[in-house]
């Protein structure tokens, strides 16, 4: 089912909009991840799609049909609530079978299907327990089974795996993806786990303070963050930022990192004034930094912390007044307090306006990568 | 030797709790146990207005068995308790649902509940006066005026349907008790359960049946039991409304005991009737305790 949100606003109190002019389309069979800081309105958006909350203004369409006033029970939706919302007096089996009971599925078939759903989330052995006798992760899986048991048209998952261990998380993730693809369900998932969002979703929507900031494929989000907020939000560990200045003079652009002057060779379409100096953040992802001096730019710093992560080492480096992170080979000897030199290619650098947060490089780098940026130091 | 030392030690260890409990225990003994004991003793005497205790064995109980009014009074008691209880609990539940589930606006719900509470906080005499006015046999009684609107003749309701009258009057006032208990219980159900049920496709009826009722089953039982016991033993509204009449048509056991003791001054016989009532009440309590597992209810607080 195709879901369209058109200019949706939601207000709980008169002072401010919790959701502000949200415009978003989720295509039929698409898997969308909804991410954003706590309190930005993710759950509110989900509850509006579910029909629990009515939008204060704006329209919601399912397959082109206006559904603002359609009751939740008529929307054919499966939902995992952030707080699970299991029925406390029912057993696990009855909880899972509840949506089927409402559809008047005959008893035998109902329990059969409920059992299958329970097996799928590895809860086959706990069918007779009450929710209060389950662990948090088990409760969450009951909620998951309950959401998918009726094979809904739309699946709304509000942090469905926040309480699971790493292995179970991956398993459940794959299971959800499989079911979603198999049945062609349109799914929206709220998550605080970026890896989860990036790996499962076709598209990722980033929200901030009730507004949609960027809505695009995971790769694009990673490679072309629209602004500073997205850049520092997406990626784990987060992007490194170095305070810097961008100078535009006679149509020529330069910026300075450390002692390096980087020449952008006229290509910065997002800058309007032709003679100016701007404060900017230069962003480099930890994975794009290497030890050595072979790249386009180099950074000198002092190691302040080394954290082994198993397959590599995460190293904290102090460069000037900024702290940056990068990954080093686990066999490499790096010691706290030692001086090192890092390098990166110019194409991996993102420039953000300090004031507006706008990504100043996005379009230039996005189009043809390296050939448009020439280093000249 | 050893044993007494142990005892003294034990007493000393627990002396503070006992000391703290003492005033309360004394009150319980004076106001709860003593009356029952007095009634129990009295029931085997033929005390009358002369206030003299003369034990007469089980004469009072023999008399009761032969009392020509007894069958009708027992029947009345049963009818009165059963129907009033049904109204109390069911109507209380309906009111609770209305004021705390269907009316989502807290202020409106509160207003409704307060209105229903009014009879509770007004003196019984005033409340009964309203009902007397309602059933008044003259053409100016409320019911008769209403009937006049659709051209029906006035009726003498209190003498033609006394049992209906007492059931209605007690049912209405008793419903507010259930309403208060139920609505606070309904209010304590987490909102997201209703949301989940709606998303799962549940109709209003199914939400009431599958979510609300199971969540408030302890309050339901508590109200049922509480009301049952209080209906068995209280009679003031009946006394004020019909006085048990006409004849004994609306006389119940508790009222009969009052009439015997304080109108015909047969204290002994009245006590015997009361004792029977106490036994019946104890019997019902025991049954409910067993059937509904009150132990579980009183044992641990169940926050679900
Ligand atoms: N029923 C409500 N009444 C009033 N304010 C609400 C209500 N529900 C949410 N809000 C407010 O709306 C904002 C968004 O809440 P929401 O639950 O959608 O956040 P969220 O993005 O899901 O956050 P989290 O990641 O912590 O779950 C919050 O500031 C919250 O206080
Ligand atoms: Mg939330």
């Amino acid at each position: 089912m195709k879901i369209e949100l058109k200019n949706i606003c939601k207000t709980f109190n008169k002072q401010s909009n919790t959701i502000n002019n949200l415009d978003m389309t989720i295509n039929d069979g698409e898997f969308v991840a909804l991410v954003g800081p706590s309190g930005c309105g993710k759950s509110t958006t989900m509850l509006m799609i579910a029909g629990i909350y009515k939008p204060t203004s704006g329209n919601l369409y399912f397959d082109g049909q206006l559904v603002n006033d359609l009751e939740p029970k008529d929307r054919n939706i499966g939902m995992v609530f952030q707080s699970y919302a299991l029925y406390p007096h029912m057993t696990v089996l009855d909880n899972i079978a509840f949506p089927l009971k409402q559809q008047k599925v005959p008893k035998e078939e109902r329990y059969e299907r409920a059992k299958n759903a329970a097996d799928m989330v590895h809860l086959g052995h706990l069918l007779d327990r009450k929710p209060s006798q389950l662990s948090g992760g088990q409760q969450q899986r009951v909620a998951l089974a309950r959401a998918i048991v009726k094979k809904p048209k739309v699946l709304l998952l509000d942090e469905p795996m926040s309480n699971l261990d790493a292995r179970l998380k991956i398993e459940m993730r794959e299971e959800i993806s499989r079911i979603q693809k198999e049945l062609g369900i349109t799914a929206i998932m709220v998550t605080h786990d970026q890896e989860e969002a990036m790996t499962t979703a076709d598209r990722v929507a980033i929200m901030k303070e009730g507004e949609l900031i960027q809505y695009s494929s995971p790769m694009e989000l990673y490679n072309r963050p629209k602004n500073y907020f997205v850049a520092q939000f997406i990626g784990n560990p987060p992007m490194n930022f170095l305070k810097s200045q961008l100078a535009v003079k006679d149509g020529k652009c330069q910026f300075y990192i450390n002692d390096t002057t980087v020449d952008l060779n006229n290509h910065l379409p997002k800058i309007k004034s032709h003679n100016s100096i701007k404060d900017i953040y230069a962003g480099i992802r930890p994975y794009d930094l290497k030890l050595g001096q072979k790249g386009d730019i180099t950074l000198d710093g002092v190691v302040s912390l080394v954290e082994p992560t198993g397959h590599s080492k995460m190293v904290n480096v102090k460069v000037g007044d900024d702290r940056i992170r990068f990954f080093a080979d686990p066999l490499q000897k790096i010691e706290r307090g030692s001086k090192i030199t890092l390098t990166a290619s110019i194409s991996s650098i993102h420039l953000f306006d300090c004031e507006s947060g706008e990504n100043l490089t996005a379009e230039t780098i996005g189009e043809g990568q390296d050939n448009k940026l020439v280093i000249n130091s | 030797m050893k044993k007494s030392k142990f005892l003294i030690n034990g007493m000393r260890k627990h002396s503070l709790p006992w000391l703290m409990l003492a005033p309360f225990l004394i009150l319980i003994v004076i106001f709860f146990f003593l009356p029952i004991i007095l009634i129990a003793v009295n029931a085997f005497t033929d005390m009358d207005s002369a206030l003299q205790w003369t034990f007469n064995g089980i004469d009072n109980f023999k008399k009761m068995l032969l009392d020509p009014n007894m069958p009708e009074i027992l029947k009345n008691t049963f009818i009165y308790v059963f129907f009033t209880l049904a109204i109390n609990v069911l109507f209380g539940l309906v009111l609770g649902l209305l004021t705390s589930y269907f009316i989502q606006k807290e202020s409106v719900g509160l207003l409704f509940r307060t209105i229903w509470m009014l009879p509770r906080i007004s003196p019984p005499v005033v409340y009964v006066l309203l009902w007397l006015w309602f059933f008044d046999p003259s053409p100016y009684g409320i019911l008769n005026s209403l009937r006049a609107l659709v051209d029906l003749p006035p009726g003498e309701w209190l003498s033609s349907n006394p049992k209906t009258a007492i059931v209605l009057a007690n049912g209405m006032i008793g419903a507010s008790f259930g309403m208060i208990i139920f609505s606070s219980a309904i209010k304590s159900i987490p909102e997201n359960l209703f949301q989940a049920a709606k998303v799962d496709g549940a109709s209003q009826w199914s939400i009431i049946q599958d979510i609300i009722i199971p969540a408030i089953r302890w309050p339901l039982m508590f109200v049922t039991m509480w009301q049952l016991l209080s209906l068995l033993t209280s009679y003031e509204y009946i006394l004020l409304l019909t006085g048990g009449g006409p004849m004994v048509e609306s006389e119940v056991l508790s009222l009969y005991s009052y009439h015997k003791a304080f109108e015909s001054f047969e204290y002994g016989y009245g006590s015997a009737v009361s004792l029977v009532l106490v036994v019946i009440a104890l019997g019902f309590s025991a049954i409910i305790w067993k059937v509904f597992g009150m132990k579980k209810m009183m044992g641990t607080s169940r926050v679900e």
Side-chain angles (χ1 to χ4, degrees):
Chain A
M1 189 140 56
K2 184 178 174 185
I3 303 171
E4 285 167 284
L5 293 88
K6 289 258 162 77
N7 269 317
I8 297 245
C9 293
K10 176 72 190 173
T11 319
F12 285 112
N13 48 18
K14 305 238 155 50
Q15 289 119 34
S16 64
N17 276 358
T18 301
I19 301 292
N20 208 355
N21 268 323
L22 190 63
D23 253 316
M24 195 172 163
T25 303
I26 297 117
N27 291 321
D28 188 26
E30 198 174 18
F31 199 128
V32 168
L34 201 54
V35 300
S38 182
C40 69
K42 304 181 294 294
S43 298
T44 308
T45 308
M46 299 285 261
L47 288 169
M48 277 195 290
I49 296 173
I52 302 286
Y53 292 160
K54 299 245 174 302
T56 311
S57 67
N59 292 330
L60 179 66
Y61 299 93
F62 282 4
D63 274 342
Q65 251 179 334
L66 187 68
V67 292
N68 278 20
D69 294 319
L70 193 66
E71 287 294 316
K73 70 180 170 68
D74 302 321
R75 293 190 183 200
N76 198 2
I77 276 175
M79 181 160 181
V80 172
F81 286 77
Q82 191 167 6
S83 48
Y84 318 147
L86 300 180
Y87 309 122
H89 49 273
M90 293 183 204
T91 61
V92 167
L93 188 64
D94 282 325
N95 258 288
I96 300 175
F98 187 76
L100 299 177
K101 188 180 167 194
Q102 301 309 323
Q103 293 182 330
K104 309 252 173 344
V105 175
K107 207 164 189 169
E108 247 168 69
E109 187 195 338
R110 193 198 303 166
Y111 285 128
E112 188 60 38
R113 282 169 64 181
K115 271 184 199 136
N116 288 342
D119 284 337
M120 213 200 66
V121 294
H122 306 319
L123 283 177
H125 57 297
L126 299 174
L127 294 177
D128 296 328
R129 296 255 188 107
K130 293 279 177 67
S132 57
Q133 300 164 320
L134 298 178
S135 76
Q138 289 168 336
Q139 292 183 22
Q140 199 158 33
R141 281 180 283 156
V142 176
L144 199 54
R146 187 179 65 182
I148 52 183
V149 72
K150 68 174 173 186
K151 300 181 175 151
K153 280 262 172 56
V154 177
L155 195 53
L156 302 174
L157 308 166
D158 200 341
E159 301 188 28
M161 292 171 275
S162 55
N163 257 329
L164 305 185
D165 63 68
R167 194 178 64 90
L168 209 48
K169 218 176 212 177
I170 294 178
E171 247 171 77
M172 290 298 120
R173 193 157 86 198
E174 288 166 355
E175 203 68 48
I176 293 177
S177 283
R178 186 180 62 77
I179 293 173
Q180 186 262 340
K181 289 280 173 314
E182 241 166 50
L183 302 175
I185 301 174
T186 308
I188 307 176
M189 174 171 76
V190 172
T191 177
H192 283 295
D193 182 340
Q194 292 191 19
E195 189 193 312
E196 201 168 285
M198 305 291 259
T199 49
T200 17
D202 300 318
R203 277 198 284 176
V204 178
I206 298 202
M207 286 181 71
K208 183 194 176 191
E209 288 163 17
E211 291 188 38
L212 191 62
I213 305 293
Q214 189 168 359
Y215 182 32
S216 48
S217 73
M219 284 323 285
E220 178 157 336
L221 212 57
Y222 189 81
N223 291 329
R224 278 198 273 171
K226 216 176 200 169
N227 57 27
Y228 179 71
F229 172 75
V230 177
Q232 49 102 29
F233 194 79
I234 291 294
N236 190 18
M239 190 185 264
N240 298 307
F241 293 101
L242 295 162
K243 241 183 155 26
S244 161
Q245 278 189 324
L246 181 74
V248 187
K249 210 172 167 194
D250 306 327
K252 276 197 161 192
C253 272
Q254 289 182 320
F255 75 94
Y256 317 97
I257 291 183
N258 253 13
D259 301 326
T260 324
T261 303
V262 184
D263 201 329
L264 289 172
N265 207 20
N266 302 344
H267 286 284
L268 266 188
K270 285 198 174 177
I271 291 184
K272 291 193 186 82
S273 65
H274 285 283
N275 276 311
S276 69
I277 289 187
K278 247 183 199 313
D279 283 331
I280 58 161
Y281 289 116
I284 313 171
R285 298 224 177 257
Y287 291 100
D288 292 329
L289 280 168
K290 297 272 173 307
L291 270 176
Q293 291 161 320
K294 290 198 208 100
D296 303 327
I297 60 161
T298 55
L299 300 166
D300 293 319
V302 180
V303 176
S304 60
L305 189 67
V306 182
E307 295 170 275
T309 62
H311 54 84
S312 61
K313 271 187 201 163
M314 189 160 81
V315 186
N316 263 284
V317 185
K318 201 158 182 238
V319 178
D321 289 336
D322 299 304
R323 281 173 182 284
I324 62 174
R325 295 189 187 89
F326 81 102
F327 286 97
D329 193 274
L331 300 175
Q332 200 127 33
K333 256 187 101 176
I334 298 178
E335 268 165 32
R336 209 173 146 244
S338 60
K339 279 190 179 159
I340 54 170
T341 306
L342 296 172
T343 181
S345 93
I346 187 73
S347 64
S348 62
I349 294 181
H350 306 260
L351 303 180
F352 301 96
D353 190 330
C354 266
E355 259 169 65
S356 67
E358 198 183 354
N359 188 344
L360 300 171
T361 42
E363 285 169 34
T364 344
I365 292 180
E367 278 159 22
Q369 299 276 314
D370 298 18
N371 53 3
K372 295 212 169 163
L373 284 162
V374 173
I375 185 96
N376 187 0
S377 75
Chain B
M1 247 294 291
K2 227 177 175 183
K3 206 174 169 190
S4 70
K5 204 173 175 188
F6 188 74
L7 244 172
I8 289 170
N9 262 345
M11 292 254 291
R12 207 170 276 157
K13 204 159 133 200
H14 295 292
S15 61
L16 188 65
W18 279 113
L19 200 69
M20 307 284 259
L21 277 173
F24 180 64
L25 288 178
I26 291 169
L27 279 180
I28 284 195
V29 168
I30 292 180
F31 289 106
F32 290 83
F33 282 113
L34 223 52
I36 292 185
I37 292 166
L38 276 179
I39 283 178
V41 174
N42 239 350
F44 297 93
T45 68
D46 64 351
M47 186 194 273
D48 55 15
S49 52
L51 291 179
Q52 271 168 5
W53 300 47
T54 322
F55 284 92
N56 63 354
I58 55 167
D59 277 5
N60 284 332
F61 298 93
K62 274 190 202 149
K63 187 175 164 192
M64 216 183 298
L65 279 179
L66 300 174
D67 193 331
N69 289 331
M70 232 356 138
E72 170 135 28
I73 290 172
L74 282 176
K75 193 185 96 195
N76 288 347
T77 308
F78 178 78
I79 291 176
Y80 162 71
V81 169
F82 181 83
F83 285 103
T84 314
L85 188 65
I87 293 183
N88 275 183
V89 176
L90 293 182
F91 198 47
L93 182 61
V94 169
L95 285 174
L97 283 170
L98 264 179
T99 57
S100 56
Y101 176 64
F102 286 103
I103 300 177
Q104 285 288 343
K105 220 171 145 84
E106 177 57 27
S107 54
V108 180
L110 195 67
L111 183 74
F112 258 87
R113 263 174 272 155
T114 313
I115 291 173
W116 273 101
M117 280 302 285
L118 283 179
R120 274 248 166 226
I121 51 180
S122 56
V125 180
V126 176
Y127 176 70
V128 171
L129 254 176
L130 281 177
W131 280 99
L132 282 175
W133 184 26
F134 184 80
F135 287 124
D136 197 75
S138 76
Y140 308 109
I142 298 177
L143 189 54
N144 282 340
S145 322
L146 288 176
R147 281 169 66 91
L149 288 180
V150 285
D151 284 335
L152 286 170
E156 303 216 350
W157 305 109
L158 281 180
S159 43
S160 61
N161 298 70
K163 280 199 272 291
T164 315
I166 60 170
V167 166
L168 275 180
N170 273 285
M172 287 297 162
I173 194 165
S176 62
F177 178 69
M179 174 190 73
I180 293 298
I181 305 256
F182 297 146
S183 49
S184 70
I186 293 170
K187 281 261 174 256
S188 71
I189 301 174
E191 182 63 32
N192 63 17
L193 285 193
F194 297 126
Q195 299 179 344
K198 279 182 198 159
V199 169
D200 285 341
S203 59
Q204 292 291 5
W205 175 241
S206 164
I207 288 179
I208 292 174
Q209 190 185 321
D210 294 325
I211 310 292
I212 297 180
I213 301 284
I216 63 169
R217 65 194 186 285
W218 299 113
L220 262 172
M221 272 172 220
F222 165 72
V223 168
T224 308
M225 175 155 161
W226 183 268
Q227 294 289 65
L228 175 71
L229 295 184
S230 64
L231 284 175
L232 270 176
T233 53
S234 68
Y235 54 82
E236 65 268 28
Y237 290 104
I238 306 177
L239 179 67
L240 290 168
L241 195 59
T242 65
M247 308 299 285
V248 287
E249 260 187 66
S250 58
E251 184 98 353
V252 296
L253 217 48
S254 51
L255 182 60
Y256 192 54
S257 135
Y258 166 83
H259 276 153
K260 280 296 155 195
F262 297 103
E263 269 176 15
S264 26
F265 300 109
E266 297 175 52
Y267 292 120
Y269 188 48
S271 298
V273 174
S274 284
L275 192 62
V276 169
L277 204 56
V278 168
V279 171
I280 292 177
L282 279 177
F284 269 114
S285 310
I287 291 172
I288 293 176
W289 189 285
K290 261 255 145 42
V291 173
F292 294 132
M294 287 295 282
K295 231 184 193 155
K296 239 194 302 181
M297 169 177 162
M298 312 247 286
T300 51
S301 71
R302 300 177 69 98
V303 183
E304 286 187 331

